[in-house]
Amino acid sequence: MAKQLDYHTIREIFTRFQAREPEPRGELEHVNAYTLVVAVALSAQATDAGVNKATRALFQIADTPQKMLDLGEEALIEHIKTIGLYRNKARNVIKLSRILVEDYGGEVPNSRAALQSLPGVGRKTANVVLNMWWHYPAQAVDTHIFRVGNRSGICPGKDVDAVERAIEDNVPVDFQQHAHHWLILHGRYHCKARKPLCGTCLIRDLCQFEDKIL
């Protein structure tokens, strides 16, 4: 685990991220808050590309909780069976859709606690939805962010909760809205798990990773 970087270094890192990608976007396709919840819940242990491929046709016919209930679990499974753990995920999507219809009037709630009360929705999923749909600066820590944070010193922590707090505590507030997207994209395409592209890394002179591949 790298040592926590100082304020000025972190500000320079995110200034560079912002200059390269001023408005980063999540890669999961969705048309409203509900389909975003479903897409993020389906993305656990799956790639965004794989989820998008499975949900394009699904969201054309089931873009609300009631439409998903009308579709039914078995038909939902047919749409998402290329995604890992699809049976359990389908069960959760039907359950959360029923809760949204019965308890929330078919609308997706916008508090973290309410979102996390839905089947299959953990803190990371809730944070993604809060950030992407309601533009709240919640930090959804996945494996990419955990790796980048601990390698670089941007947001080191022994677990995802500690990394989330490190982002909130150390990243300047003017970068908080897009912080987790910049970190995810950096981890996905540059600071890769097995072969990080340190030689062409935008922040290689600021990063504390001791095993840089130059």
Side-chain angles (χ1 to χ4, degrees):
M1 184 189 300
K3 181 181 178 181
Q4 175 68 59
L5 293 172
D6 62 56
Y7 173 84
H8 298 290
T9 303
I10 291 177
R11 173 163 283 283
E12 175 60 23
I13 285 172
F14 281 93
T15 297
R16 294 183 190 182
F17 284 158
Q18 185 179 58
R20 182 177 62 187
E21 186 73 36
E23 295 290 333
R25 293 284 183 266
E27 297 181 333
L28 285 172
E29 297 174 4
H30 58 283
V31 297
N32 53 31
Y34 171 71
T35 55
L36 178 58
V37 170
V38 173
V40 181
L42 293 177
S43 71
Q45 301 182 47
T47 65
D48 288 358
V51 173
N52 290 338
K53 184 176 180 181
T55 58
R56 284 188 189 116
L58 172 65
F59 291 159
Q60 290 179 6
I61 60 174
D63 60 354
T64 70
Q66 187 58 60
K67 289 179 182 178
M68 191 67 76
L69 292 176
D70 293 342
L71 180 66
E73 186 173 329
E74 291 305 313
L76 171 58
I77 285 174
E78 287 302 306
H79 281 276
I80 66 170
K81 62 184 179 182
T82 56
I83 301 174
L85 306 175
Y86 65 91
R87 289 192 181 278
N88 188 56
K89 290 177 179 178
R91 192 175 306 115
N92 283 334
V93 168
I94 293 299
K95 286 181 180 179
L96 74 83
S97 298
R98 183 169 290 109
I99 291 171
L100 290 176
V101 169
E102 294 178 353
D103 296 346
Y104 296 96
E107 299 294 325
V108 176
N110 62 353
S111 79
R112 185 183 285 118
L115 286 166
Q116 284 188 248
S117 72
L118 299 173
V121 177
R123 186 178 181 89
K124 185 184 78 171
T125 296
N127 282 347
V128 171
V129 176
L130 291 172
N131 184 289
M132 290 181 62
W133 192 257
W134 281 286
H135 308 296
Y136 176 76
Q139 308 302 331
V141 178
D142 68 352
T143 56
H144 296 301
I145 294 181
F146 189 81
R147 179 175 66 254
V148 172
N150 279 292
R151 276 180 176 175
S152 66
I154 295 171
C155 47
K158 64 181 180 179
D159 54 38
V160 293
D161 291 336
V163 170
E164 182 180 334
R165 288 193 299 273
I167 298 172
E168 293 174 345
D169 290 346
N170 294 284
V171 175
V173 294
D174 46 315
F175 296 119
Q176 289 270 340
Q177 178 62 52
H178 296 310
H180 92 276
H181 279 133
W182 282 316
L183 291 169
I184 287 172
L185 293 173
H186 189 65
R188 182 174 292 164
Y189 299 112
H190 300 279
C191 193
K192 300 179 181 182
R194 294 185 180 180
K195 293 184 178 180
L197 306 179
C198 300
T200 57
C201 176
L202 188 68
I203 61 168
R204 62 185 178 276
D205 57 319
L206 305 174
C207 174
Q208 293 194 56
F209 185 36
E210 294 181 353
D211 299 321
K212 290 178 184 176
I213 302 173
L214 301 176

